[in-house]
Amino acid sequence: MSYLYLACLLGGIVCMLLLDLRFRLFFWKSPASAALVTLAGVTFLLLWDAAGIATGIFLRGDATIASGIVLAPEMPLEEPVFLLFLVLCAMILYTGATRLLGKWTRKTDDETPPEPEIT
Amino acid sequence: MRYLLLTLLFMGVAIVAAAVLSRLGGRGWRVEWRASVMAAAVLVLLTAVFDSLMIASGLFSYTAEHISGITIGLAPIEDFAYPIAIIIALPVFWELLNRRAAVPVRRLLREAFVASRPVSWINTAFPFAAAYFLTTREIDWVLVVGALYYLIPYNLAMYGINDVFDYASDINNPRKGGIEGALLQPQFHRPMLQLAAWSNIPFLLVLAAVGGPASWGPLLVSTFAVIAYSAAGLRFKERPVLDSITSSTHFVSPAVVGLALTGAAWQPSTILLLAAFFLWGMAAHAFGAVQDIQPDRAAGIGSIATVFGARATVWIALVLWTLAGVLMLFTPWPGPLAAAIVIPYLVNCAPWARVTDDTAAGSNRAWRRFIWLNYGAGFIATMIMILWWNS
């Protein structure tokens, strides 16, 4: 039993938030909307997990890198943290890709010859 | 195969959610689909690598007969639905919230917080948690999820729906806006109702699934009372007597849900206690309606107080509180001690026994004390529960 997996997940979340901070993509663009989107995503995935556990599909392993702390039957402490990471990762990728596409489109616009300057 | 069916179900929910959300909010906004596709490609790649690593390190596994058996790396193909569902639904929600014409989400959340009456959150969470915990005598995830539900989303639904449909009368009532409630501007009405619905539905689904058929009745009654109290068309708050009954149901039904979730047997003492709680709740509502007689009448809104008049309503409250105390005397020890809880309420209310409709607004002074009396009553009730626990 260790906290390695949890530490990795938290590290991943911190990295996502650093990208967010640097490029003002998600929480640093619209914090309230980002919070609502994150909450909706994590809740949806938790319900999915819960349904999988209730129908006997998902089983918690006894990995040595996991803390062994369980929140509910077959639901380790790390699972909601992982889901949070997944949602953050997805939204940083989406907002980041949107930013890149915007830049590329603007670059093509820039190729049109500039207006002659009047001196 | 079972996992595939589950995947199709949740994938379907995500697709339907994305389709419905993309039709909301009028024109002038859209999802950058090319960005979604790029994000999806990266997420699928990451899932293939990290899901395999996670499975290899034994973090979780699957019941072999329930999965299709098709894998990418070690990851079952069904697992890829998680990131794909997320990338289908969430960007739509994000763009919808950030569109130019949207109400500012930060303001909406602040309005929702004030609308939910944070000082009253405990009034619904406590009956649930106490009923559940005193039966199971242990803290489990159902207790945590249920208590969280009755702490915030339930109150958001109850008071949020109320504030939306009370707009007409609230605008004429100077008392609203402080500790007891807020004026909710019309542009927040629709978003508030949506927020209330979507913060409640997941919790209700989980509680109904965990509690099984025995919990469906109490959950339905509880949810119906929350909606029917103020929603247009039903407006139970404008139907004398039914208004007090519905209001009391708001506070007693969480306790009944708590008991139903534990599968506790219905003993006579439990029923006596719930009946006393119910009468107490009716009395509290009736007395609370007295202060609003004038603005309610001005706005053409009926209540137990506008129909019976101020003085009769105060007397109804006094009688109901007394009856609640008397009922507690018949519960097993240390239940009878709880009869004393009604005394401060009677003392607080009694000075208004000779109130008239013209002086009714003055009873707001007693109503303000009321919020703090509830904390005292909750404290004494907790002490009695601890006594019962140890006896």
Side-chain angles (χ1 to χ4, degrees):
Chain A
M1 299 298 122
S2 83
Y3 290 92
L4 181 63
Y5 178 40
L6 187 62
C8 287
L9 288 173
L10 292 175
I13 289 172
V14 169
C15 289
M16 287 302 139
L17 292 177
L18 283 174
L19 279 172
D20 188 358
L21 169 70
R22 168 67 182 82
F23 297 104
R24 300 186 175 276
L25 295 169
F26 190 46
F27 274 94
W28 273 270
K29 184 174 181 226
S30 179
S33 309
L36 216 53
V37 168
T38 307
L39 201 63
V42 172
T43 306
F44 175 70
L45 293 180
L46 270 177
L47 286 178
W48 196 334
D49 268 356
I53 291 167
T55 48
I57 300 165
F58 299 154
L59 303 169
R60 189 177 64 86
D62 47 0
T64 48
I65 59 166
S67 67
I69 301 168
V70 287
L71 302 174
E74 307 296 335
M75 171 68 76
L77 165 70
E78 286 90 343
E79 183 62 11
V81 184
F82 167 71
L83 297 178
L84 173 65
F85 169 73
L86 181 60
V87 167
L88 278 179
C89 188
M91 286 312 293
I92 296 295
L93 280 170
Y94 170 76
T95 49
T98 308
R99 180 74 53 83
L100 282 177
L101 286 168
K103 261 196 189 136
W104 291 338
T105 337
R106 230 174 297 132
K107 225 170 240 166
T108 8
D109 292 345
D110 289 348
E111 279 160 20
T112 54
E115 298 276 313
E117 258 177 75
I118 302 156
T119 47
Chain B
M1 277 330 264
R2 202 185 272 187
Y3 191 14
L4 194 62
L5 287 176
L6 181 75
T7 301
L8 291 176
L9 174 71
F10 276 84
M11 200 65 159
V13 171
I15 292 169
V16 169
V20 170
L21 288 174
S22 63
R23 289 176 156 272
L24 296 176
R27 290 163 180 279
W29 71 279
R30 64 189 187 86
V31 172
E32 181 54 86
W33 286 111
R34 290 172 302 165
S36 296
V37 171
M38 287 164 70
V42 178
L43 279 172
V44 165
L45 195 70
L46 289 175
T47 302
V49 175
F50 286 99
D51 212 26
S52 297
L53 283 176
M54 283 149 81
I55 291 166
S57 61
L59 283 167
F60 46 82
S61 59
Y62 306 85
T63 311
E65 74 239 43
H66 294 332
I67 57 175
S68 66
I70 306 166
T71 59
I72 298 178
L74 291 176
I77 188 108
E78 293 95 327
D79 269 5
F80 290 86
Y82 269 72
I84 292 172
I86 281 292
I87 209 65
I88 288 174
L90 289 187
V92 186
F93 190 30
W94 166 253
E95 300 290 359
L96 174 71
L97 291 176
N98 283 311
R99 75 189 191 279
R100 204 157 293 162
V103 298
V105 179
R106 188 193 290 258
R107 280 244 357 239
L108 173 66
L109 293 181
R110 198 183 310 136
E111 293 286 354
F113 179 76
V114 176
S116 72
R117 319 288 200 273
V119 288
S120 301
W121 284 1
I122 195 73
N123 295 347
T124 46
F126 186 80
F128 170 84
Y132 190 96
F133 185 61
L134 290 178
T135 313
T136 60
R137 295 203 167 214
E138 61 179 23
I139 296 173
D140 58 16
W141 70 274
V142 181
L143 172 60
V144 175
V145 168
L148 196 64
Y149 172 62
Y150 284 106
L151 194 67
I152 303 174
Y154 180 79
N155 283 296
L156 177 61
M158 177 154 69
Y159 295 114
I161 293 171
N162 182 68
D163 287 2
V164 167
F165 290 102
D166 270 14
Y167 185 71
S169 66
D170 280 9
I171 210 161
N172 297 318
N173 190 342
R175 193 174 65 79
K176 299 288 165 82
I179 193 171
E180 292 139 304
L183 261 177
L184 191 62
Q185 295 304 311
Q187 72 265 32
F188 289 105
H189 288 184
R190 263 180 72 95
M192 184 66 78
L193 294 180
Q194 286 162 344
L195 192 63
W198 291 108
S199 59
N200 276 254
I201 288 169
F203 283 98
L204 288 170
L205 286 176
V206 168
L207 294 180
V210 172
S215 69
W216 296 350
L219 281 169
L220 267 176
V221 170
S222 181
T223 309
F224 178 72
V226 159
I227 298 168
Y229 188 66
S230 34
L234 294 161
R235 295 295 288 170
F236 282 10
K237 67 182 295 179
E238 294 184 29
R239 300 170 201 267
V241 186
L242 193 57
D243 57 349
S244 296
I245 290 173
T246 313
S247 170
S248 192
T249 304
H250 293 158
F251 301 99
V252 180
S253 64
V256 179
V257 169
L259 289 169
L261 287 178
T262 63
W266 292 97
Q267 290 159 341
S269 59
T270 316
I271 292 167
L272 267 179
L273 195 144
L274 289 173
F277 186 21
F278 198 86
L279 294 175
W280 174 91
M282 280 183 71
H285 175 272
F287 184 59
V290 170
Q291 60 185 321
D292 285 331
I293 283 184
Q294 305 280 22
D296 277 354
R297 279 187 179 153
I301 288 175
S303 78
I304 190 166
T306 64
V307 169
F308 290 114
R311 192 173 301 175
T313 311
V314 167
W315 278 97
I316 289 170
L318 288 170
V319 168
L320 289 173
W321 267 316
T322 310
L323 273 176
V326 170
L327 280 188
M328 285 313 291
L329 293 176
F330 293 94
T331 59
W333 182 261
L337 287 177
I341 291 176
V342 302
I343 293 170
Y345 289 94
L346 292 172
V347 170
N348 186 37
C349 177
W352 274 269
R354 296 175 59 80
V355 74
T356 64
D357 289 0
D358 292 328
T359 58
S363 67
N364 176 244
R365 269 190 291 143
W367 180 253
R368 283 179 175 280
R369 280 198 289 273
F370 202 82
I371 291 169
W372 303 108
L373 276 184
N374 287 345
Y375 282 107
F379 174 73
I380 296 169
T382 309
M383 291 300 116
I384 294 170
M385 284 173 197
I386 291 169
L387 236 152
W388 174 81
W389 182 282
N390 292 326
S391 65

